[in-house]
Amino acid sequence: MGKGARKRGPKKDKAPKIRDVFVAQPFEGLAAEPELIALREFVPSATAPLSLVDAGERRITLATVLPMAAAAFVRTDGEVFVGLQVQTRSSDISRDLGRAVRWALTAEPGDVLPVPDTTSAPQDGERLQDLLVADAELDVTLHTNFDWWLPEDTDPSGEVKVSLERANEAIMPTERLGTGSYWVLAGEKAHLRWVRREPEGRLMQALARLSAAGELSLGEGSRYAGSFRAHGLLVPVWDLDPEAHAREWAEPAEQLGARLDEALKSVADEPLTAAERRARDGLVGRQLTLR
């Protein structure tokens, strides 16, 4: 027997290695996909009740951020929350959230789930798609602060007080203009961020068609800024006049949406012209990716 073989000794049975596969579009198949992405990525303070397939009498509220970025918690009055914006995640955000929802179904008042379970084998956890009513939209409520973290007439203390103060200081004014469509005042700039559910290639063609026709803005005081990818969908962004109130952009956004819908229909049958292809190349050059 060789020297190396003597040192190694007999092989022991090893647990099979679990392959961690990144899920690029974790909310695919859910009608609420655009809202889930918006609340996960750029809406500061919002809540929405979840439509669960089988929750019994327990009601669970989805939230953007929870105290100390917890994955889930139960207020002392029994209200149950699951957070979207957490610091730890696996390769499948939908599975992380599914595990948090499953935890929340049996948690007691005062219980906190600091981080989602990201260590169990993929087959050991349900995804949001397994727990939610697939065609249910989210009924989103926007908040101007994070005081909803606490029951009414409750004074914060300790780490929760510090976390609440920091969160309230960092919040940006936000208004919902439509499905996955939000006006955000970020310092001295205002933006419209619009999560679109269409396939990226087709959406870029439609945006290029509007751009070539000079119809991609929301009117005076606006311009198309670019887009970013988030969880498998494209999010076009427009810069807006920060002096105008959010409600002033509601009608222009609705009109832009109608033009975009028409363009989406047309690109299925009418190839892009040379000018539209050049416009598309310019739009593609202004893309970023957010996981």
Side-chain angles (χ1 to χ4, degrees), residues 1 19 31 38 86 97 109 112 181 184 192 202 211 224 243 257 273 282 284:
M1 182 180 292
R19 187 181 180 189
V86 295
L97 287 165
V112 178
S181 174
V184 181
L192 169 64
R202 183 163 161 249
S211 179
Y224 180 76
E243 297 299 322
T273 65
V284 169

Side-chain angles (χ1 to χ4, degrees), residues 59-183:
R59 299 291 178 261
I60 296 179
T61 299
L62 188 69
T64 49
V65 184
L66 298 180
M68 293 162 283
F73 88 120
V74 185
R75 283 192 330 204
T76 53
D77 62 354
E79 291 291 322
V80 187
F81 295 87
V82 169
L84 271 167
Q85 299 178 25
V86 295
Q87 296 180 356
T88 304
R89 72 177 192 187
S90 72
S91 59
D92 184 0
I93 296 172
S94 180
R95 197 175 304 280
D96 298 342
L97 287 165
R99 287 166 171 161
V101 169
R102 180 56 66 187
W103 175 91
L105 286 172
T106 57
E108 299 294 333
D111 286 353
V112 178
L113 180 66
V115 295
D117 177 9
T118 60
T119 59
S120 300
Q123 62 269 21
D124 293 339
E126 296 166 295
R127 308 179 76 237
L128 274 187
Q129 286 83 344
D130 301 317
L131 299 170
L132 300 188
V133 177
D135 60 355
E137 300 281 357
L138 284 183
D139 183 13
V140 177
T141 298
L142 293 176
H143 305 276
T144 57
N145 53 44
F146 288 95
D147 292 352
W148 52 267
W149 282 356
L150 302 173
E152 293 184 11
D153 301 324
T154 300
D155 294 325
S157 61
E159 292 183 349
V160 172
K161 180 179 180 180
V162 173
S163 184
L164 181 61
E165 291 174 348
R166 288 176 178 172
N168 284 340
E169 289 173 0
I171 201 168
M172 295 185 294
T174 303
E175 296 287 344
R176 185 176 183 270
L177 300 185
T179 301
S181 174
Y182 288 84
W183 172 90

Side-chain angles (χ1 to χ4, degrees), residues 42 179-182 192-196 234-238 253 256-257:
F42 54 80
T179 301
S181 174
Y182 288 84
L192 169 64
R193 299 168 181 171
W194 199 337
V195 185
R196 301 291 304 193
L234 198 65
V235 186
V237 179
W238 286 262
L256 173 61

